[in-house]
Amino acid sequence: MKLNLNALQSLTHSDRQADRVVPPSGFTARLTLFAAAAMAFLAVFALALSMATGRLASQWSAELARTATIRIVAPLDQRATQTEAALAVLQTTAGVQSARALSDEEQSALLAPWFGPEVSLDGLPVPRLIEIVETADGIDAAGLRLRLAAEVPGAVLDDHSRWRAPLVKAASRLRLLGWVATVLIVATVAAMVTLAAQAALAANAQVIAVLRLVGATDRYIAQAFIRRFTLRALAGSALGVVLGVIAVVLMPSGGSEMSGFLTGLRFQGLGWIVPFLIPPLTALVAFAATGAAARRTLENLS
Amino acid sequence: MIELENVAYSYGGGELLSDISVKLAPGSFHFLTGPSGAGKTTLLKLCYGALLPTAGTVRLLGADVRTLQRDDIAMLRRRIGVVHQDVQFLDHLPVAENIALPLTVSGRGGAAQGDDLEELMAWVGLTGRAQGLPPELSGGERQRAALARAVIMSPDVVLADEPTGNVDWEMSQRLLRLLIELNRMGKTVLIATHDLSLIRAAKAQVQARVLRIANRRIQLAGADL
């Protein structure tokens, strides 16, 4: 590691003379730059995706885990009594922080998207909903169901776990995919830089032979290439990250809770730092990849 | 300086050189001759660590080549100047920078090289071509540039492989004079050539010994050459 640090230091200290011994290569240089930029751009989105889904997964499991709903399905004349009874049961249930019945207005607001705002619910046997907010410990759903079955025949407890579990699972899987994509992108950068470096080393076989003949050490020769590819990868991926972050910033955000997932792709808080770690990481990967390629090539020369 | 002891070298098939023992004393002047394909270039390569002997011992400046690391070989090359038959340069750099390349790669480049470089360029007669690119040079100019590059580090030994191979008689005389001058400055010189008239010309000016490769072995050629 110490040697690596030294080598890194020698990259920053500018040795233009050493840089000049390898002929400039316009076209392949631009290709490396482009590929690094494209990969960094993609990495920004992969990171945004995995961080957003990670956030969603924990948000959903946290929020939904602490709420439950009771539906009172009963004829209109018994509905109010059963609601009272259910609330009474809830008051003596461990793990319930608060419980309240939704008002008629709230229920019609919930149904408005399907029935339209003009429809009156007065004559319809719409079940009454009771919203339960749990304490951190949560409720014993099975026990509560038994008590409700005995005392409030029309009550149905829904602790959301039925649809919460697959959603949280899906979000976690999506986050995993995002990370896998990021790792693949980094590996691709390494492969691409190795190929480009290999090609450059092969194209400059004569230069390397001349340098060896006049007494250049392997380190000196390798450095001219390493420096070049590291700086190219750094510049390319910095460009890609800037463009990617701009694209993420320009994505529409906010809106109602209905569109929460798609608009939640932006980074949040300290998350904004993460994409800017991509260029140094890319440079490090390019540094290692070129170094390995150069070592392999040079060891085969006399 | 350079010592070969019972050295053999074989390329895959059969032995090209066998049982070779040579000792180049400091300040000596040697010619290496023999028919084409006899192994002159191979022997030179053994002398600057580009090849390792398949048998026997090669000692360069006191060190056994088998014990040398890659970086040791690089350091050795700074003390052994080599001129190839088909010299190669960094074609994108001007002649002056190519000649100064050994200084550059050993970290001694920069301002310090100014006067020495100019003097050296004048010595090989390339002052006017300093800013030209190597591909623009003629055969003789390339050989002289290579010689300048080989000696800019003030090496102890100068090895030249057919330095006059691609140039006319007059130019080869000029190159020879430069090599003889180097020898007078105390450098050990070894020239591989099949050009017997060059050897004769040299013998008039310097005490040169001639090594001849024949039948895979080396012989000290008689003075009557």
Side-chain angles (χ1 to χ4, degrees):
Chain A
M1 197 59 214
K2 195 178 162 224
L3 204 148
N4 247 347
L5 277 181
N6 282 341
L8 276 178
Q9 265 168 9
S10 58
L11 279 185
T12 53
H13 134 262
S14 105
D15 185 354
R16 295 173 90 192
Q17 200 67 36
D19 217 22
R20 289 193 57 196
V21 299
V22 182
S25 50
F27 182 61
T28 47
R30 278 199 291 278
L31 276 184
T32 315
L33 208 72
F34 166 75
M39 285 296 151
F41 189 81
L42 293 178
V44 170
F45 285 96
L47 282 175
L49 178 73
S50 50
M51 287 169 74
T53 47
R55 243 180 356 252
L56 270 184
S58 53
Q59 202 175 317
W60 282 346
S61 51
E63 277 178 7
L64 299 176
R66 281 187 284 109
T67 61
T69 312
I70 289 178
R71 266 193 334 263
I72 309 288
V73 187
L76 274 179
D77 52 334
Q78 289 174 29
R79 203 171 67 176
T81 2
Q82 292 213 12
T83 306
E84 290 296 314
L87 284 171
V89 168
L90 287 171
Q91 256 166 19
T92 59
T93 305
V96 175
Q97 196 175 56
S98 66
R100 70 179 185 94
L102 266 59
S103 67
D104 283 339
E105 291 75 35
E106 282 173 314
Q107 298 217 120
S108 51
L110 279 179
L111 292 172
W114 285 274
F115 293 162
E118 286 88 20
V119 177
S120 158
L121 301 179
D122 291 345
L124 295 170
V126 177
R128 174 65 73 204
L129 295 178
I130 297 175
E131 186 189 39
I132 303 168
V133 177
E134 298 169 25
T135 62
D137 298 335
I139 53 170
D140 171 16
L144 183 57
R145 270 199 193 98
L146 283 175
R147 280 186 69 193
L148 286 171
E151 297 179 30
V152 192
V156 179
L157 174 69
D158 179 4
D159 64 356
H160 302 168
S161 62
R162 203 157 25 94
W163 61 277
R164 182 180 76 218
L167 270 181
V168 170
K169 209 170 155 191
S172 309
R173 195 58 58 81
L174 214 54
R175 173 173 55 176
L176 182 70
L177 279 179
W179 285 115
V180 169
T182 311
V183 169
L184 283 179
I185 287 171
V186 170
T188 308
V189 168
M192 170 203 94
V193 170
T194 304
L195 287 174
Q198 207 87 267
L201 287 160
N204 288 302
Q206 186 192 330
V207 169
I208 294 172
V210 169
L211 289 173
R212 260 318 268 180
L213 186 69
V214 299
T217 56
D218 285 352
R219 206 181 143 194
Y220 182 91
I221 300 169
Q223 221 162 71
F225 290 92
I226 291 175
R227 195 179 138 83
R228 209 166 263 208
F229 281 98
T230 305
L231 293 182
R232 270 177 209 164
L234 183 67
S237 91
L239 185 72
V241 164
V242 167
L243 291 179
V245 167
I246 289 176
V248 169
V249 169
L250 288 184
M251 289 216 333
S253 82
S256 64
E257 54 275 18
M258 300 289 287
S259 53
F261 173 69
L262 278 176
T263 57
L265 266 183
R266 283 182 170 201
F267 297 99
Q268 272 172 21
L270 287 177
W272 284 106
I273 297 174
V274 174
F276 292 99
L277 298 178
I278 296 174
L281 180 69
T282 311
L284 210 63
V285 166
F287 176 79
T290 320
R295 243 190 328 279
R296 264 201 311 278
T297 307
L298 288 172
E299 268 164 15
N300 291 327
L301 296 173
S302 62
Chain B
M1 292 274 101
I2 294 181
E3 255 178 273
L4 282 70
E5 235 180 83
N6 305 320
V7 165
Y9 189 84
S10 50
Y11 284 103
E15 269 194 346
L16 180 63
L17 301 169
S18 57
D19 203 20
I20 295 209
S21 296
V22 180
K23 203 167 173 179
L24 301 188
S28 62
F29 196 112
H30 282 88
F31 280 103
L32 180 63
T33 184
S36 284
K40 296 193 291 288
T41 303
T42 303
L43 189 62
L44 279 188
K45 281 186 174 169
L46 287 167
C47 291
Y48 65 90
L51 292 176
L52 290 178
T54 39
T57 321
V58 175
R59 299 179 73 79
L60 303 179
L61 307 175
D64 186 341
V65 281
R66 286 180 204 284
T67 65
L68 296 177
Q69 302 295 310
R70 289 183 61 78
D71 279 355
D72 297 331
I73 299 264
M75 295 306 147
L76 200 69
R77 302 252 170 99
R78 297 177 188 181
R79 297 177 59 195
I80 300 180
V82 181
V83 181
H84 274 298
Q85 183 173 9
D86 54 336
V87 271
Q88 294 188 322
F89 295 100
L90 302 187
D91 288 342
H92 62 288
L93 291 182
V95 173
E97 278 188 55
N98 264 290
I99 290 177
L101 196 62
L103 292 175
T104 310
V105 302
S106 58
R108 290 202 258 145
Q113 73 194 33
D115 285 351
D116 286 352
L117 181 61
E118 234 165 83
E119 206 175 305
L120 186 59
M121 303 271 307
W123 184 65
V124 294
L126 285 175
T127 309
R129 309 305 301 262
Q131 294 314 312
L133 292 178
E136 299 161 5
L137 299 184
S138 71
E141 286 171 329
R142 285 175 79 83
Q143 292 293 347
R144 281 182 282 147
L147 186 58
R149 185 180 70 186
V151 302
I152 195 164
M153 295 285 281
S154 187
D156 303 321
V157 184
V158 177
L159 305 176
D161 189 3
E162 301 280 6
T164 59
N166 301 321
V167 300
D168 59 27
W169 176 246
E170 201 179 323
M171 184 58 72
S172 68
Q173 288 304 297
R174 218 168 137 186
L175 279 162
L176 182 63
R177 272 201 300 281
L178 292 174
L179 285 162
I180 289 171
E181 254 179 79
L182 282 171
N183 181 244
R184 288 194 178 131
M185 289 183 227
K187 317 279 183 218
T188 310
V189 176
L190 175 60
I191 302 171
T193 182
H194 62 266
D195 186 352
L196 296 185
S197 49
L198 185 77
I199 299 177
R200 275 187 214 106
K203 283 208 152 186
Q205 306 169 56
V206 71
Q207 186 159 18
R209 310 184 76 183
V210 179
L211 307 167
R212 179 184 291 143
I213 304 180
N215 294 325
R216 312 200 306 272
R217 282 158 210 280
I218 212 155
Q219 313 159 340
L220 196 59
D224 55 319
L225 188 91

